[in-house]
Protein backbone atom coordinates (compact mmCIF):
# COMPACT_ATOMS: atom_id res chain seq x y z
CA UNK A 1 0.00 0.00 0.00
CA UNK A 2 1.51 3.31 -1.03
CA UNK A 3 0.78 6.50 0.84
CA UNK A 4 1.11 9.90 -0.68
CA UNK A 5 3.52 12.26 1.05
CA UNK A 6 1.99 15.22 2.88
CA UNK A 7 2.01 18.24 0.57
CA UNK A 8 0.92 20.82 3.08
CA UNK A 9 3.64 22.93 4.62
CA UNK A 10 1.59 24.47 7.42
CA UNK A 11 -0.35 21.71 9.16
CA UNK A 12 -1.56 24.02 11.93
CA UNK A 13 -3.25 26.17 9.28
CA UNK A 14 -5.02 23.04 7.98
CA UNK A 15 -6.41 22.46 11.46
CA UNK A 16 -7.68 26.06 11.49
CA UNK A 17 -9.38 25.49 8.13
CA UNK A 18 -11.24 22.52 9.58
CA UNK A 19 -12.24 24.53 12.67
CA UNK A 20 -13.28 27.61 10.70
CA UNK A 21 -15.20 25.62 8.10
CA UNK A 22 -17.69 24.48 10.72
CA UNK A 23 -18.34 28.11 11.61
CA UNK A 24 -18.48 29.66 8.14
CA UNK A 25 -20.10 26.92 6.05
CA UNK A 26 -23.55 28.59 6.14
CA UNK A 27 -22.14 31.69 4.42
CA UNK A 28 -21.46 29.66 1.27
CA UNK A 29 -24.97 28.21 1.02
CA UNK A 30 -26.93 29.94 -1.78
CA UNK A 31 -30.11 29.46 0.25
CA UNK A 32 -28.71 31.92 2.78
CA UNK A 33 -28.19 34.69 0.24
CA UNK A 34 -29.44 38.17 1.01
CA UNK A 35 -31.29 39.90 -1.81
CA UNK A 36 -29.70 37.47 -4.25
CA UNK A 37 -26.17 38.22 -3.05
CA UNK A 38 -23.81 35.69 -1.50
CA UNK A 39 -22.85 36.12 2.14
CA UNK A 40 -19.36 34.76 1.52
CA UNK A 41 -17.78 38.14 2.32
CA UNK A 42 -19.08 37.84 5.88
CA UNK A 43 -17.01 34.68 6.36
CA UNK A 44 -13.88 36.83 6.51
CA UNK A 45 -15.23 38.84 9.42
CA UNK A 46 -16.36 35.73 11.30
CA UNK A 47 -12.96 34.09 10.88
CA UNK A 48 -11.19 37.22 12.12
CA UNK A 49 -13.55 37.44 15.12
CA UNK A 50 -13.15 33.77 16.06
CA UNK A 51 -9.43 33.46 15.30
CA UNK A 52 -8.06 36.93 16.16
CA UNK A 53 -4.42 35.86 16.43
CA UNK A 54 -3.94 34.74 12.85
CA UNK A 55 -2.44 36.85 10.09
CA UNK A 56 -4.71 38.49 7.48
CA UNK A 57 -3.18 36.39 4.69
CA UNK A 58 -4.06 33.26 6.65
CA UNK A 59 -7.67 34.45 6.89
CA UNK A 60 -7.66 34.66 3.10
CA UNK A 61 -6.22 31.15 2.82
CA UNK A 62 -8.78 29.76 5.26
CA UNK A 63 -11.79 31.30 3.51
CA UNK A 64 -10.50 30.30 0.07
CA UNK A 65 -9.94 26.72 1.21
CA UNK A 66 -13.35 26.62 2.89
CA UNK A 67 -14.95 27.87 -0.34
CA UNK A 68 -13.31 25.06 -2.31
CA UNK A 69 -14.35 22.50 0.31
CA UNK A 70 -17.95 23.70 0.23
CA UNK A 71 -18.09 23.63 -3.56
CA UNK A 72 -16.57 20.16 -3.74
CA UNK A 73 -19.15 18.85 -1.28
CA UNK A 74 -22.16 20.54 -2.90
CA UNK A 75 -21.42 20.40 -6.63
CA UNK A 76 -22.98 17.47 -8.45
CA UNK A 77 -20.33 15.18 -9.86
Amino acid sequence: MSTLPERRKNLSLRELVDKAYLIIEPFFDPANAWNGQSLEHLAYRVVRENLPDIAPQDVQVIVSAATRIYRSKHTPQ
Side-chain angles (χ1 to χ4, degrees):
M1 177 159 121
S2 69
T3 60
L4 296 174
E6 180 61 54
R7 297 178 311 156
R8 297 175 189 97
K9 302 292 184 217
N10 189 344
L11 295 178
S12 62
L13 186 59
R14 176 58 195 186
E15 291 174 12
L16 292 176
V17 169
D18 293 337
K19 179 180 177 181
Y21 183 78
L22 298 173
I23 299 167
I24 62 176
E25 181 182 18
F27 294 111
F28 305 120
D29 187 350
N32 293 333
W34 185 38
N35 197 24
Q37 298 299 313
S38 165
L39 300 179
E40 188 173 321
H41 65 284
L42 296 176
Y44 291 92
R45 173 177 279 172
V46 172
V47 170
R48 285 192 306 268
E49 288 173 355
N50 286 279
L51 303 169
D53 297 331
I54 65 172
Q57 63 268 23
D58 289 342
V59 173
Q60 173 67 38
V61 169
I62 289 169
V63 174
S64 295
T67 302
R68 287 191 307 272
I69 293 167
Y70 182 86
R71 289 181 182 153
S72 71
K73 286 183 174 183
H74 295 90
T75 303
Q77 304 272 327

